[in-house]
Structure formats: C-alpha cells, structure tokens
Amino acid sequence: MALQVIIGAGPVGQGVARLLADRGEQVRLVSRRGSGPEHPGIERVAADAADPRLVDVAQGAAAIYNCANPAYHRWATDWPPIAAALLAVAERSGAVLATTGNLYGYGPVHGPITEAAPLRPKGVKGQVRARMWQDALAAHEAGRVRVTEVRGSDYLGAGAQTLFTLLAVPKVLAGKRAYLPADLDAPHSWTYVGDVARTLVAAAADERAWGRPWHVPSQPPVSIRALAVRLAELAGAPAPRLSSMPAALLRLGGLFDPTARELRETAYQFRRPFVLDSTAATEAFGIEPTGLDTALRETAGPVPAAAR
C-alpha cells in the first residue's frame, strides 16, 4: 500500500481520491480548506498547493496528482507558483507527478486534436498551461523528476463547471431559454470527470506513460444542441430552447463579470468544430469512455420538480 497524494478537492481530485481509496491505497487529499469526501481511506489535509513545505505532506508518496484548479480569471497569477511548487515537491520526494491538463495549450487546431499537435496557445491561459507542461517535461528529460499530463475537453459529470454546465444545464432543466456564446451545431468533444480520474491513475502508475501527455478517452463529439436535447430527454424536461449569444454581448458581459471576460480568449473552442482524439490512451490503458447518458445524468444531478 503506497501513499498517494492528491492536490485539489474539486470533482477530479475527489474522483481520484475515491478511486485510489477504494483500491486500498493510502490516500492523502490536500486542499486549502481540508475538504473532500467522507471516506475511511482518505486523509484530508488543509494546505496551500503553492507552499514548498508541501514536501513534508508528500514525503514517501508514490505519486502526486495535480488536480488543483485556481479561479478561472486568476490563472496567470495563481498557476505558475502552484506548478513550480508541485514540480519541486515531486523532485524532492521522488514521486511521479501526474497533472490534470486541458486543451488550451494547443490553440486553434484544424481537425481532430492528437497529442502530437504542437503547442501554439492563443491567449494568456493557453500560454500558462503550455509553459506548465514545458517546464515539467524539461525537468523530466533532465532526469530530475517523472511526469505525465492528462488532458481532457470540456467536462461533464457531477460538479463540472464548463460553459455548457453553467449556462445551459440549469436553463434546460428549468424549461427556460439558454444563451451560449457558441455555434450550437458545431461538433464538440466532452470529457467525463470520472474518466479523467481513471486516466490520471493509470498514467501515474505506468512508466510507459511518463514523459508525455495523454488525452482522456472521450465519446465521439456531440454538438451543444444535441447534448441539450439528450439532457432534456433524460430529465423529462421540455425540449430545450437555445440561442447563440453574439460576440458583442459576451464582450459587454466581460465588462462586469471576470469569468465572462476570460471566456473571450477561448471562444474559438465553441465557434467551430472542436474535436479530441483520445485513441492513444484507450489503446495504452484499455480505458473506454463512459457513456454519454451516464455523464449527463450525473451532470444534471437531482432533477427540479418543475422538470419532472
């Protein structure tokens, strides 16, 4: 039984913690408030992810899972110290560092995105994520640490916070019109948070996975409109009413809301096809993506009475 340290108690971090604890591993879940699931196999620790003293918490760990998630509008300031601290902790402790990544570092890509696509970020957030991986990979190639990164598209599942879950799901379940800054019919890949956890655990434990990124096994792409229709069917809600939000309206919203302001940088992901190729991870780890219906049911959670 090896010590496994998870940084961050969001949906992915909790999923990793439960998965490892259920396997009988010694699990230490670290978050700023010491939160996390009530589980006899999970030790919850309150600590700051950017604190170099975290090495004491991770001493003897087989793996460190970076599942932290700073506030969206603070990535440029909060991510660099967190990433640097966790890389230093992994180096000093000898643990494998498995990071939860995303697709921002690729920037706009024509056609399905594979792990071989070059990192050509568009905007600050993409640059931050690309630099995190480049620094980790450089340390790996220098023999200082063992690293891997697992990248998914927009999340579905309990606790997921994405453009679809924040702007569409509540409105669809309530039978109200939803406005989204997107091409509602463009194919888009969606990643289930439980599959992110499974891929992280597999990659951390398999030395063939170290020194490269992996895309989380995800279902074939589905448009926002089709996803909303299926969500309504599963929840017994009325047929969804969706409208595409003009770019000018998103810019206006950004004057008052920091999250809306940040969405402008990644608008290209929703204004055109955005497709993830996850073949490599499925072949390497034998992970098949969770069914879309399961992911949507967890995303919806308890259905409001008005939608029953």
Side-chain angles (χ1 to χ4, degrees):
M1 183 174 64
L3 174 62
Q4 311 283 336
V5 176
I6 300 103
I7 310 298
V12 174
Q14 291 195 37
V16 171
R18 288 193 186 96
L19 183 60
L20 291 168
D22 288 344
R23 292 183 178 183
E25 302 283 358
Q26 181 186 356
V27 177
R28 189 168 291 160
L29 179 59
V30 181
S31 67
R32 187 167 294 176
R33 297 180 179 84
S35 57
E38 295 282 351
H39 190 293
I42 298 175
E43 175 191 2
R44 294 175 297 179
V45 176
D48 193 320
D51 191 338
R53 291 175 296 179
L54 197 65
V55 69
D56 295 330
V57 177
Q59 194 61 44
I64 298 170
Y65 301 85
N66 178 2
C67 304
N69 189 26
Y72 199 55
H73 64 286
R74 292 188 55 84
W75 279 20
T77 54
D78 291 3
W79 256 132
I82 291 174
L86 293 183
L87 192 58
V89 169
E91 183 176 354
R92 291 180 61 186
S93 67
V96 174
L97 176 61
T99 297
T100 311
N102 60 27
L103 308 181
Y104 288 18
Y106 295 118
V109 177
H110 294 283
I113 306 170
T114 71
E115 294 93 334
L119 296 180
R120 294 172 178 165
K122 179 182 179 180
V124 174
K125 290 186 292 299
Q127 292 167 2
V128 167
R129 296 301 315 210
R131 175 55 61 187
M132 285 172 58
W133 172 243
Q134 289 163 346
D135 289 346
L137 183 59
H140 176 93
E141 292 176 343
R144 293 164 35 208
V145 68
R146 297 164 295 165
V147 304
T148 186
E149 182 168 286
V150 167
R151 300 169 181 166
S153 190
D154 294 270
Y155 290 173
L156 295 175
Q161 295 190 11
T162 64
L163 184 144
F164 180 79
T165 64
L166 294 175
L167 299 184
V169 171
K171 299 294 186 181
V172 171
L173 296 180
K176 298 179 180 179
R177 181 171 295 277
Y179 295 87
L180 297 96
D183 177 343
L184 303 176
D185 298 301
H188 194 95
S189 292
W190 309 92
T191 300
Y192 174 56
V193 291
D195 293 336
V196 181
R198 290 198 293 156
T199 309
L200 274 167
V201 170
D206 190 337
E207 64 180 82
R208 298 174 303 167
W210 304 339
R212 59 157 291 177
W214 299 88
H215 289 169
V216 178
S218 303
Q219 288 287 336
V222 177
S223 71
I224 288 177
R225 193 186 307 277
L227 199 66
V229 168
R230 187 56 183 155
L231 172 68
E233 291 172 348
L234 292 171
R241 293 177 292 157
L242 308 177
S243 292
S244 181
M245 181 189 300
L249 186 58
L250 181 61
R251 287 195 296 271
L252 180 62
L255 297 176
F256 309 99
D257 185 289
T259 299
R261 185 165 56 248
E262 297 299 319
L263 285 174
R264 293 178 295 177
E265 184 181 309
T266 55
Y268 67 89
Q269 298 178 6
F270 291 95
R271 296 290 186 187
R272 53 188 287 183
F274 194 70
V275 178
L276 175 71
D277 184 325
S278 55
T279 306
T282 293
E283 292 179 348
F285 310 127
I287 297 174
E288 295 291 339
T290 297
L292 194 61
D293 284 3
T294 297
L296 282 172
R297 287 190 179 97
E298 289 193 17
T299 303
V303 179
R308 291 175 189 156

